[in-house]
Amino acid sequence: MPVTATKLNKENFISQVVRYGFFAEQIPECFSSAKLSNKLDEIMPFVSLKAKAKDATTSPTTLSTYKNDISRRVLSLPNPEAFLRVVKLIADNWSEIKAATDSSNSLSPITYIHTYREGDSEMLNSENVRESIRSKSDFIEGIKNCIIASLGYKYRLDVDVANCYNTIYTHSIAWAMCGKDDAKLYHRTKTPISLKGKYELADQLDTYVRYQKNNETNGIVVGPFTSRIISEVIMAELDRKLTEKGYHFRRYVDDFKFYFRTESQAQESLPIIEKVLNEYNLNLNTAKTEIHKYPFDVISQMKTAFEDALKKEGVFGVLNTAAQFQISGEKGAYKYALKMLKNCEIPIDDFDIIMPSLINVMLIDPKYGKYVIGYLKHNIKKLDKAKLSQIMNQELESSLKTELQQESLIFIQIIKELNLNLAANNLINLLKTGDDFSIIIALDIWKNRNRSVNRTPAEARRINAEIKSLATRLNGETMKGSRWLLLHEIAMHQLIDGSIMPLIATDPFFTELTRHNISFYKGIKKK
């Protein structure tokens, strides 16, 4: 039987990017675009590629997330109509867009070939896609590629673009697709005429990308996979510019690895590399600029080490081994460990030593929260829920006090998913200062699992008063504004009594979402 190969085309690109590329992987899995993906045939006809700024400019819902110990990264969830407009434009011009992202230097192409027993399929190269089909990571292949590239080179210069997505100048999309000088010339004179089609596509893409973020030219939204595509268009052009200058390198998203025969060559290249980046309004992250001497890349023996630790020392042994790898610089150690442990039992006698490890793993990188949640859910019947509730409420309280949004969201999500008790004070503070994702979960718990909230009669009155205060603060908000998700889910799940909610101006696109019962939040089901 011949092996079949399925290429990504307009239709399956739209399906994949809407289902897996709307919510960033850091957002809890109770938020999903699955319903939207299922209704694309009904919704896409309402997405116009002739929209004007006055009617199409929107603001994204945002979430402050962990980046490192001294700074945060703001993730954005764009207005779904604005997102679908970008998706539709890319899909209509898929072959041109994909060609613009092509680079032999890139270790992060926008698609990859997933091999099945019956054939191959081209998929979006997204973490969410890979996890949904249980496809293995390309991390090892990337290391092998770098090892091959290093042949004959004794030194490696590591260069990182500073705050990449937030500093991308949207007009540089046209520079990347047409050439900077040619794009500027065409913008002024509409010549050469041969550039017309390519320039107009790039200019339209620039426009619709801006409509996702208040029509701003500086920075693109961080989170949806469409932004990965935009960044790869620009980075692929930088690859071409740097290759023309004779540099030998590999790049993963915005991290470059340049190879040199001498250390002095590496040092002398920095001003030239920086100048190329500056031409596209990008800058070097000097804190991450380093020169390394061979050997640079090694393939970790984590899998073998974790298997041995599990046999000898059980669950704690795996977590302890992951800590050792983390200290030595293996950034993915905890993720690998948690995925390995997902079906393992937590020894009751080790609960007190395993829980600190699990909590702290989420604090050093909250995106691991979904793996911890899955692991705890697998063991929930054996765990002391009262003790677990106390721990999660303590961490939620601490995260709220220090205004750590992603961390607060993870802990309220754990409380929801594991059906734990929620402290009244935490619920009140979430309603007061929480991000919109957390507020949706908090309102859902109060409406549909009221008895799990530990409160006195006075605290219950304070909760209801805070809900009224929230409703008052939403007065004047629109579906084009940054609180679109909260407004939509309040309406879809009736999370606030209609008698106290302000009247929100009708939006034709969201009217269609409501008519087709499209929600982005999986709420608590009442028994």
Side-chain angles (χ1 to χ4, degrees):
M1 182 177 179
V3 175
T4 59
T6 305
K7 289 290 185 182
L8 207 60
N9 57 25
K10 174 180 175 178
E11 285 71 28
N12 52 32
F13 165 75
I14 293 177
S15 176
Q16 283 187 36
V17 78
V18 173
R19 183 175 292 272
Y20 302 111
F22 186 44
F23 286 90
E25 63 169 314
Q26 292 90 335
I27 306 297
E29 292 175 333
C30 62
F31 293 95
S32 163
S33 51
K35 287 187 176 181
L36 177 60
S37 179
N38 292 338
K39 296 284 186 175
L40 282 174
D41 289 343
E42 290 86 349
I43 297 301
M44 288 305 281
F46 292 92
V47 179
S48 171
L49 293 185
K50 297 180 180 179
K52 302 299 181 184
K54 179 173 69 73
D55 301 315
T57 298
T58 64
S59 299
T61 291
T62 60
L63 179 73
S64 170
T65 65
Y66 177 85
K67 182 178 181 181
N68 54 51
D69 290 339
I70 58 175
S71 63
R72 307 284 290 179
R73 175 184 286 114
V74 176
L75 284 183
S76 295
L77 182 68
N79 176 289
E81 184 180 14
F83 170 75
L84 289 177
R85 192 174 288 115
V86 175
V87 169
K88 192 172 191 175
L89 181 62
I90 293 176
D92 286 350
N93 301 276
W94 177 240
S95 58
E96 294 91 337
I97 297 295
K98 190 180 176 189
T101 68
D102 186 48
S103 169
S104 59
N105 299 93
S106 176
L107 300 175
S108 53
I110 60 173
T111 68
Y112 79 107
I113 299 299
H114 177 61
T115 301
Y116 292 83
R117 186 170 58 186
E118 67 274 14
D120 297 335
S121 289
E122 188 177 22
M123 313 289 287
L124 288 180
N125 193 13
S126 151
E127 185 72 14
N128 288 341
V129 171
R130 286 182 177 277
E131 292 210 348
S132 72
I133 59 175
R134 297 182 181 179
S135 176
K136 69 177 183 178
S137 167
D138 60 349
F139 181 71
I140 298 297
E141 289 306 311
I143 291 178
K144 289 179 178 178
N145 192 310
C146 287
I147 291 172
I148 293 169
S150 70
L151 174 65
Y153 295 96
K154 193 175 178 182
Y155 293 91
R156 191 185 76 192
L157 170 66
D158 291 355
V159 166
D160 178 71
V161 177
N163 209 13
C164 182
Y165 282 26
N166 289 313
T167 56
I168 285 177
Y169 182 49
T170 62
H171 294 343
S172 68
I173 298 171
W175 301 351
M177 293 183 69
C178 304
K180 185 174 181 179
D181 292 339
D182 287 345
K184 288 193 167 188
L185 177 64
Y186 187 86
H187 179 71
R188 294 193 309 269
T189 67
K190 298 297 180 280
T191 58
I193 193 67
S194 59
L195 207 59
K196 181 181 178 182
K198 186 176 286 189
Y199 181 86
E200 288 180 349
L201 169 59
D203 187 54
Q204 194 174 16
L205 190 55
D206 168 9
T207 300
Y208 292 159
V209 165
R210 284 189 278 114
Y211 287 172
Q212 295 182 109
K213 189 170 177 276
N214 304 303
N215 207 17
E216 296 172 7
T217 57
N218 288 321
I220 62 176
V221 289
V222 182
F225 192 78
T226 47
S227 292
R228 267 280 294 113
I229 295 173
I230 300 302
S231 71
E232 200 66 19
V233 167
I234 295 167
M235 293 297 157
E237 176 63 10
L238 291 177
D239 289 351
R240 288 185 277 274
K241 293 287 185 184
L242 292 164
T243 300
E244 287 171 5
K245 292 187 177 295
Y247 291 118
H248 184 68
F249 65 96
R250 292 293 182 267
R251 173 183 56 80
Y252 184 84
V253 189
D254 62 340
D255 294 328
F256 292 82
K257 300 180 188 298
F258 293 89
Y259 298 94
F260 298 94
R261 298 190 185 279
T262 67
E263 186 173 11
S264 61
Q265 287 176 341
Q267 292 170 338
E268 291 163 2
S269 72
L270 263 174
I272 303 170
I273 294 168
E274 187 170 25
K275 184 180 178 183
V276 173
L277 266 60
N278 291 165
E279 288 175 4
Y280 284 77
N281 287 25
L282 300 171
N283 296 291
L284 288 180
N285 183 347
T286 54
K288 289 189 176 180
T289 300
E290 297 178 313
I291 296 175
H292 299 276
K293 189 175 180 180
Y294 187 85
F296 326 115
D297 302 292
V298 293
I299 296 175
S300 171
Q301 298 300 312
M302 275 196 296
K303 184 175 185 293
T304 302
F306 287 158
E307 289 172 347
D308 290 344
L310 187 61
K311 289 177 183 177
K312 295 176 183 177
E313 300 172 276
V315 172
F316 175 70
V318 174
L319 293 172
N320 189 55
T321 303
Q324 294 170 5
F325 278 111
Q326 186 81 14
I327 290 170
S328 67
E330 293 273 3
K331 293 182 179 179
Y334 278 123
K335 178 179 178 180
Y336 198 127
L338 290 169
K339 291 176 81 169
M340 179 184 232
L341 293 174
K342 65 180 180 180
N343 294 320
C344 293
E345 304 296 320
I346 295 180
I348 299 304
D349 293 341
D350 288 344
F351 176 83
D352 288 340
I353 195 168
I354 289 173
M355 278 309 299
S357 298
L358 295 177
I359 296 294
N360 289 340
V361 166
M362 291 189 290
L363 290 176
I364 65 168
D365 198 336
K367 71 181 178 184
Y368 297 149
K370 64 181 178 181
Y371 303 111
V372 175
I373 290 172
Y375 184 45
L376 292 175
K377 284 180 79 171
H378 178 72
N379 286 274
I380 192 62
K381 291 182 180 180
K382 299 171 63 178
L383 299 178
D384 184 337
K385 291 183 74 172
K387 192 171 186 178
L388 204 54
S389 296
Q390 182 184 13
I391 292 171
M392 296 307 166
N393 275 284
Q394 285 174 350
E395 295 305 319
L396 175 56
E397 181 181 9
S398 175
S399 297
L400 285 167
K401 282 181 179 178
T402 48
E403 300 184 19
L404 301 177
Q405 290 186 351
Q406 186 185 15
E407 290 81 345
S408 299
L409 177 56
I410 287 296
F411 291 116
I412 188 62
Q413 168 71 353
I414 290 175
I415 289 170
K416 174 197 174 234
E417 291 295 322
L418 302 186
N419 196 8
L420 305 178
N421 289 337
L422 174 61
N425 201 49
N426 281 337
L427 177 53
I428 292 167
N429 287 329
L430 278 169
L431 296 171
K432 277 184 178 179
T433 64
D435 62 274
D436 284 359
F437 298 93
S438 296
I439 290 173
I440 290 168
I441 297 175
L443 288 171
D444 189 23
I445 291 174
W446 182 242
K447 179 178 185 288
N448 294 308
R449 200 184 285 157
N450 190 285
R451 292 182 180 180
S452 70
V453 180
N454 293 332
R455 84 282 188 183
T456 64
E459 286 173 328
R461 289 191 292 272
R462 284 180 60 202
I463 292 169
N464 287 324
E466 198 53 55
I467 291 174
K468 287 183 179 179
S469 177
L470 171 63
T472 300
R473 296 196 299 274
L474 292 175
N475 191 25
E477 295 285 349
T478 72
M479 303 308 290
K480 293 284 194 291
S482 63
R483 310 206 78 173
W484 69 265
L485 179 68
L486 178 59
L487 295 175
H488 182 63
E489 298 308 329
I490 285 174
M492 292 298 295
H493 297 275
Q494 300 177 340
L495 297 177
I496 295 181
D497 191 285
S499 64
I500 63 173
M501 267 298 288
L503 188 63
I504 305 299
T506 302
D507 182 284
F509 181 79
F510 280 92
T511 297
E512 288 303 315
L513 293 187
T514 302
R515 189 164 75 86
H516 289 93
N517 195 32
I518 295 172
S519 166
F520 298 97
Y521 170 67
K522 184 179 180 181
I524 296 167
K525 289 185 178 180
K526 277 193 171 184
K527 292 184 179 180

